[in-house]
């Protein structure tokens, strides 16, 4: 007779094993690519360079926190021309990946140790186009200074529970602290979302639009090469879905 499996005990164990941690950071030059890591079969096989140490430090911190899986935009997406479908799907799903993660670790390369109040708000990470969804979508987020020490020495399990850090962010982007902590795409109006995105920079012009796909619950399909048309397509889709024609004057 087969013994019945107690799913109430097994499921949490399996779920815990497969939970993953996301990496948020400002790119610092020629980051290791999908092909680079595939060639050496592991991040530990990459050359001993600072740009690779950042990735290894992220993996080490993920393991220290008790998780087995780590995801970084530098090397976990195949960005080659032969993988355009994979890249498009990845960009479309990015918001959900951050939202469903066990935690998102933010590395502030330009913030010296020990960090001081205000360093996060002034960091280059805050100016990136992709920062907005990486800040708002995760339920758990942890900030680290350039030495991979917790920002402001806060050793809490979730910096979204830190009144000091959340107030600093709320003051910087000018939205209520509670909105950052419990954000969902329905929390803010169209024009407010566009305001939040308007002060951010992107290396690729298309990323201004693509970084907002999840926040707007958009259905546009990314296609690098369309440049400024990408933002136009996003606005057209928003108008078609919401009827808010005033956004066309943005």
């Amino acid at each position: 007779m087969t013994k019945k499996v107690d799913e109430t005990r097994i499921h949490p164990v399996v779920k815990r094993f497969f939970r993953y941690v996301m990496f948020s950071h400002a790119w610092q030059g020629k980051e290791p690519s999908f092909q680079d890591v595939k060639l050496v079969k592991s991040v530990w096989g990459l050359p001993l360079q600072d740009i690779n140490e950042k990735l290894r430090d992220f993996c080490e911190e993920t393991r220290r926190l008790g998780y087995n899986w780590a995801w970084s935009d530098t090397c976990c997406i195949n960005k080659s021309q032969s993988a355009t479908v994979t890249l498009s799907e990845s960009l479309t799903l990015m918001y959900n990946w951050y939202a469903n993660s066990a935690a998102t670790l933010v590395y502030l390369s330009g913030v010296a140790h020990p960090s001081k109040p205000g360093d996060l708000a002034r960091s280059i990470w805050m100016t990136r186009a992709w920062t907005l969804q990486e800040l708002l979508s995760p339920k758990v987020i942890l900030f680290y200074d350039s030495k991979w020490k917790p920002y402001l020495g806060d050793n809490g399990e979730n910096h979204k529970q830190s009144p000091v850090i959340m107030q600093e962010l709320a003051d910087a982007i000018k939205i209520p602290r509670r909105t950052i902590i419990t954000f969902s795409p329905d929390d803010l109006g169209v024009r407010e979302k566009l305001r939040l995105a308007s002060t951010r920079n992107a290396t690729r012009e298309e990323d201004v639009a693509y970084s907002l796909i999840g926040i707007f619950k958009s259905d546009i399909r990314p296609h690098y090469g369309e440049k400024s048309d990408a933002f136009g397509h996003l606005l057209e889709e928003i108008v078609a879905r919401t009827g808010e024609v005033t956004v066309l004057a943005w």
Side-chain angles (χ1 to χ4, degrees):
M1 182 176 179
T2 304
K3 186 176 181 180
K4 185 177 181 180
V5 176
D6 186 349
E7 294 185 359
T8 60
R9 296 177 60 187
I10 296 298
H11 184 264
V13 175
V14 173
K15 183 178 180 181
R16 173 72 182 186
F17 179 82
F18 285 105
R19 297 208 73 188
Y20 60 91
V21 173
M22 300 288 284
F23 192 25
S24 177
H25 62 112
W27 281 44
Q28 297 173 274
K30 191 181 184 303
E31 301 276 350
S33 68
F34 175 86
Q35 285 75 21
D36 291 334
V37 175
K38 185 178 180 181
L39 182 64
V40 296
K41 298 182 171 57
S42 168
V43 298
W44 311 110
L46 292 169
L48 295 176
Q49 301 171 349
D50 289 345
I51 203 74
N52 297 328
E53 284 303 312
K54 178 175 66 170
L55 181 59
R56 282 191 280 261
D57 288 341
F58 162 61
C59 291
E60 287 183 351
E61 183 63 13
T62 296
R63 176 54 61 88
R64 189 191 71 80
L65 293 172
Y67 298 100
N68 298 301
W69 304 94
W71 189 98
S72 172
D73 58 350
T74 56
C75 62
C76 290
I77 303 176
N78 187 351
K79 305 178 186 71
S80 65
Q81 290 186 344
S82 61
T84 52
V85 174
T86 299
L87 176 58
S88 177
E89 290 177 345
S90 297
L91 295 176
T92 303
L93 295 170
M94 196 75 69
Y95 179 92
N96 291 333
W97 289 358
Y98 279 96
N100 294 326
S101 67
T104 289
L105 309 189
V106 179
Y107 177 61
L108 306 168
S109 59
V111 172
H113 177 76
S115 51
K116 306 181 297 297
D119 285 346
L120 173 53
R122 292 188 294 267
S123 70
I124 190 172
W125 179 82
M126 285 292 293
T127 68
R128 298 164 57 249
W130 292 99
T131 289
L132 198 56
Q133 71 167 5
E134 295 167 13
L135 167 65
L136 297 177
S137 59
K139 298 177 182 64
V140 176
I141 194 166
L142 294 167
F143 297 98
Y144 297 86
D145 63 27
S146 58
K147 298 297 184 183
W148 277 97
K149 301 299 182 183
Y151 182 61
L152 300 183
D154 188 322
N155 290 301
E157 296 181 352
N158 183 3
H159 286 163
K160 283 199 170 185
Q161 296 175 353
S162 166
V164 173
I165 296 176
M166 289 299 103
Q167 191 60 54
E168 179 177 340
L169 290 171
D171 291 341
I173 62 179
K174 295 179 174 54
I175 63 173
R177 191 171 70 189
R178 64 181 179 277
T179 300
I180 301 175
I181 298 170
T182 62
F183 179 81
S184 80
D186 298 321
D187 284 349
L188 298 173
V190 172
R191 293 188 67 84
E192 180 65 1
K193 292 175 185 177
L194 290 174
R195 180 192 67 78
L196 289 174
S198 66
T199 58
R200 303 186 177 278
N201 304 315
T203 304
R204 300 286 295 270
E205 193 172 358
E206 296 90 338
D207 284 339
V208 174
Y210 299 162
S211 62
L212 298 174
I213 288 175
I215 288 177
F216 278 104
K217 296 194 293 188
S218 172
D219 290 329
I220 66 168
R221 290 293 178 264
H223 176 65
Y224 281 106
E226 58 179 344
K227 298 193 174 183
S228 61
D229 288 345
F231 197 70
H233 294 156
L234 176 66
L235 292 179
E236 288 172 1
E237 194 269 343
I238 292 171
V239 171
R241 180 161 43 84
T242 68
E244 293 193 37
V245 295
T246 58
V247 303
L248 296 176
W250 183 257

